[in-house]
Amino acid sequence: MSTHTRIALDKEDLRFLIADVLELDVEEVTDDADFVQELEVDSLMALAIVARLERHYGVKLKEDDFKRVSSLTQVHRLIGDKRAARAAS
């Protein structure tokens, strides 16, 4: 079992990770805060988040994957789905 599969997908850890990449206070990254409208995430920030998520959780995200999510809750669901699909294969 790889290290990545042992890392639990905890929403609070995900919140801290995204806040760290965006250099925001954790409280600003609410479950439903819109990345673009409320947190002012631009394309470079989005790439930094994707790279960090891939390294931390051991998933591979396509550009379209991240384009269709706009909040912490949606990213949490996306990572969970990617990990479940990888585990099933």
Side-chain angles (χ1 to χ4, degrees), residues 7-23:
I7 295 173
L9 181 56
D10 179 77
K11 191 182 274 188
E12 294 311 307
D13 289 339
L14 182 57
R15 185 185 322 277
F16 276 94
L17 185 147
I18 291 173
D20 183 54
V21 171
L22 299 178
E23 298 180 358

Side-chain angles (χ1 to χ4, degrees), residues 52-69:
R52 188 87 170 267
L53 292 172
E54 288 179 337
R55 278 194 316 269
H56 189 78
Y57 293 108
V59 294
K60 183 68 179 155
L61 300 172
K62 297 177 185 166
E63 188 176 333
D64 287 345
D65 290 334
F66 206 72
K67 282 183 177 179
R68 63 185 170 94
V69 298

Side-chain angles (χ1 to χ4, degrees), residues 2 5 17 21-22 26 33-34 50 55 60 64 70-71 74 85-86:
S2 76
T5 56
L17 185 147
V21 171
L22 299 178
V26 174
D34 185 276
V50 167
R55 278 194 316 269
K60 183 68 179 155
D64 287 345
S70 61
S71 69
Q74 292 174 350
R86 186 183 65 211

Side-chain angles (χ1 to χ4, degrees), residues 8 10-13 31 34-35 43-45 52 54 56 59 62-63 73 75-76 78-79 81-83 85:
D10 179 77
K11 191 182 274 188
E12 294 311 307
D13 289 339
D31 287 359
D34 185 276
F35 289 154
S43 58
L44 290 176
M45 291 173 174
R52 188 87 170 267
E54 288 179 337
H56 189 78
V59 294
K62 297 177 185 166
E63 188 176 333
T73 298
V75 171
H76 185 262
L78 172 65
I79 299 296
D81 290 349
K82 291 286 183 178
R83 293 177 85 187

